Amino acid sequence: MKSLVSTALAALVFGANACPVPARLAKRQQLSQMNDFDILNYALTLEHLEDTFYRQGLAKFTLNDFTRAGFDAAFYNNVKSIAEHEASHVAFLTGAIKAAGGSPVLECTYAFGITTVAGFVATASVLEGVGQSAYLGAARQIANKDYLTAAGSILTVEARHSSYLRASLSQTPFAQSLDIPLTPDMVYTMAAGFITSCPAGNPTFPVKAFPSLAVATTGSITSGQLISIKTTNTVLVAHDSGAHLHAAFITAGGPVYAQMTEAGDGIDFQVTVPAGVLGQSYLLFNDCNTTLSDSTVVAGPVLMEISGPSPGGLAVSKE
């Protein structure tokens, strides 16, 4: 194991505090160390990322580029409308934070790595899906009801964006009857991959990125399939002989645990996708198989699109 760790990989020990007993919480705000200003700035951070993504993409690709990629003028104009919505969300949240006496975060510098229209549309769909899950996951942590209503009004628009873009990619617009909530740490873990730097004067708020995972399986993924998952820049090391890793897909009803086998190197794993996990899905490695929270997450989430028959009986097209 030492040879692996010494080759630019960090060792992460898991299992020291597995399966904590959940405490009964008295107030909504105690669910997190984040206050309402933190939550608003967290939302603004995500909106800045989306706003910049669309601005850069539409500056790079013209209507002719979209047409050559198989998208018509109506779709192109709708994407421009989505971009305008994201810019409006930035302005709205910035104004709300300033009006309440807070300091809004400024736009960071990003690296999206987009080279084609197809890649732009696929990434847009992913960002919108993550965005709606981010707002859903943060909603329960907002104490001020006015802020909660404002966040809800953005969430519903993000969900419409997601459904429209998914349909454009021949994916089912609504793969599940309930959407997936993600915690700020889970969302930041995925967003951090796009962020290269941020202004030094930006307000800070308590979020952290977990070690990242990657899907090594190529092509479409379906329910019941055995897929390969890898850690990136991290070796997962058990704290003791009683420590175990568990693969968990996040769902609205709680974690769905999946069968997992380890290669033994702390890097390579195989996971069987459980039945019923469909659409834009998120896989975590957890050190507990009875509860899932930020305190039990070892690595991830990693995002994947899972095909299969949807609850409504529609066939989910492969990417």
Side-chain angles (χ1 to χ4, degrees):
M1 185 65 69
K2 287 183 179 180
S3 62
L4 288 173
V5 176
S6 65
T7 57
L9 293 174
L12 177 70
V13 177
F14 66 88
N17 298 295
C19 297
V21 177
R24 187 175 296 276
L25 302 173
K27 294 182 180 179
R28 170 183 291 166
Q29 201 68 58
Q30 291 177 337
L31 285 164
S32 164
Q33 295 180 341
M34 299 174 77
N35 59 37
D36 281 349
F37 276 132
D38 292 332
I39 293 292
L40 290 178
N41 264 323
Y42 159 68
L44 180 56
T45 298
L46 301 178
E47 294 296 347
H48 274 310
L49 188 152
E50 289 182 301
D51 175 42
T52 305
F53 171 79
Y54 284 106
R55 243 189 306 120
Q56 291 182 357
L58 289 173
K60 182 180 182 69
F61 302 116
T62 65
L63 171 58
N64 286 336
D65 293 325
F66 273 77
T67 302
R68 284 193 292 269
F71 300 99
D72 61 20
F75 177 80
Y76 173 76
N77 288 326
N78 282 333
V79 170
K80 289 174 66 176
S81 293
I82 292 174
E84 291 169 1
H85 291 171
E86 302 301 351
S88 176
H89 294 167
V90 168
F92 176 78
L93 289 169
T94 299
I97 294 170
K98 287 182 177 179
S103 299
V105 294
L106 301 177
E107 180 181 305
C108 296
T109 302
Y110 312 95
F112 297 110
I114 303 301
T115 58
T116 65
V117 170
F120 171 77
V121 176
T123 303
S125 177
V126 165
L127 292 179
E128 297 293 346
V130 171
Q132 71 180 41
S133 289
Y135 277 100
L136 186 59
R140 65 176 182 165
Q141 302 185 47
I142 301 174
N144 184 296
K145 292 183 178 179
D146 291 335
Y147 294 160
L148 179 59
T149 300
S153 68
I154 295 176
L155 186 160
T156 56
V157 174
E158 298 282 342
R160 294 207 240 331
H161 294 169
S162 175
S163 293
Y164 178 75
L165 291 168
R166 287 181 60 81
S168 76
L169 294 169
S170 297
Q171 298 168 346
T172 183
F174 25 75
Q176 297 282 11
S177 61
L178 297 172
D179 281 324
I180 300 170
L182 296 173
T183 70
D185 285 350
M186 294 173 187
V187 173
Y188 183 69
T189 298
M190 293 182 285
F194 294 114
I195 301 172
T196 58
S197 66
C198 293
N202 265 2
T204 59
F205 45 91
V207 293
K208 66 180 184 294
F210 298 115
S212 58
L213 299 173
V215 179
T217 297
T218 58
S220 62
I221 297 174
T222 59
S223 293
Q225 181 177 343
L226 184 67
I227 60 173
S228 297
I229 304 293
K230 298 176 69 72
T231 63
T232 58
N233 302 319
T234 306
V235 176
L236 302 182
V237 182
H239 177 262
D240 53 44
S241 60
H244 299 284
L245 271 181
H246 305 276
F249 285 87
I250 308 168
T251 72
V256 174
Y257 293 96
Q259 182 178 347
M260 179 173 73
T261 57
E262 306 178 32
D265 58 4
I267 300 172
D268 296 291
F269 304 83
Q270 289 191 313
V271 175
T272 301
V273 179
V277 177
L278 300 167
Q280 185 163 313
S281 303
Y282 307 92
L283 171 67
L284 289 161
F285 285 176
N286 205 41
D287 64 6
C288 176
N289 64 352
T290 60
T291 186
L292 189 153
S293 69
D294 285 345
S295 65
T296 64
V297 171
V298 175
V302 61
L303 182 153
M304 65 190 77
E305 179 67 26
I306 301 175
S307 303
S310 74
L314 295 175
V316 181
S317 298
K318 296 181 179 179
E319 290 184 277

